[in-house]
Amino acid sequence: MLVLGIDTSCDDTAAGVLRAPREILSNEVATQYDLHAAFGGVVPEIASRAHTERVTLVVERALKEAGVSLGEIDAIAVTNRPGLIGSLMVGVAAAKSLAIAADIPLVGVHHIEAHCVAALAEHDDLDYPFLALVASGGHTALYHCKDPGTIEVLGQTIDDAAGECFDKVAKMLGLPQPGGPAVSKLAEGGNPKAVRFPRARVKDDPLAFSFSGLKTSVLYYLKGPGGKREQPDREDLEISYADVAASFEQAVVDVLVDRSLKAAAQLGVTELVVGGGVAANRRLRSDLAEGAPQGLNIRFPSMALCADNGAMIALRGAEVLQRGLTDTLDLDVSATGEGPPLP
Ligand code: KG4
Ligand code: ZN
């Protein structure tokens, strides 16, 4: 079965072709960083317009790269939740048109569930049940993936997502967006122990995350004692921006590692899968690998599969189809991912 996966949930227009269950034939992405750069964050209206311009071209590229025609595709999978409503609508409308044109089934996919299972495409020996840490610009949560039909949230952020926090700190440090790679690169030359930024715990919820206090701490640190510095001023700091970046990064990574290993011990699982844009972070990768107890395998997808992409949507769609479920042409979108139960 060949599945075409489409994702337009945020600011990347993505499409990929998968030979079910796990073989990726293509994975094409058109990013929009340049369009949103001047605004310091994703502008929903601009994102949906750009998706409208690009989605058909990206799908065409994905088919070409896979060496297949639309007529050879057996099903279309599309992210319909969660995400920016206008952006989701563009992908879903495109997917419906293609499903009608090719007369093939359509299936709506939960974006975060797709991040959870992306690693399956690159690890033949990985299988359910497993624990998944998904850390992206919009989400940070731990999931117990029991089987393809049962993916349960164990704990999630009560405020900012980890990636969002990287993006905001990048802005404070005058770095470009997306902030994660920029902060991480700067951090490479810094001392992670220079400043002890807080590692927040959430009361009565040991597997939940909170990053807004950390972000504020970095801001206050940059503003100086008593908030005297109007603008964060590089010259006034006792330590370098690289030290601030490294200390901040270490605080985020410590929290992600702590919760993940706690959850793994609690569930007694042998597999921990990491997904979402923040999974590209090198310190997270090395600290998790070092901190993992014997018997716990840590699975990182490649960079292309960590970030938003169409292949993971096709993979998750194939799992849903495998369970005999499809959607109809009145498939709706959901910003939060909640709503009536979907396949
Ligand atoms: O999963 P993703 O591509 O899109 C969302 O669904 O949000 O994640 C993007 C997020 C951004 O916040 C970006 O700054 C962060 O992932 N990110 C990183 C790194 N690469 C991307 N954060 C930390 N370190 C990185 N190397
Ligand atoms: Zn994502």
Side-chain angles (χ1 to χ4, degrees), residues 7 9-10 12 82 111-112 115 134-139 275-277 306-309 312-313:
D7 184 86
S9 57
C10 189
D12 291 328
H111 180 86
I112 312 299
H115 273 303
V134 178
S136 70
H139 305 270
C306 285
D308 288 352
N309 68 91
M312 70 175 188
I313 305 302

Side-chain angles (χ1 to χ4, degrees), residues 10 46 66 78 89 91 102 124 137 155 170 205 213 215 227 232 258 268 318 320-321 323 342:
C10 189
I46 294 175
V78 63
M89 281 165 64
D124 284 344
D205 200 348
K215 173 192 68 189
D258 171 77
V320 174
L321 289 160
R323 290 162 49 223
L342 290 152

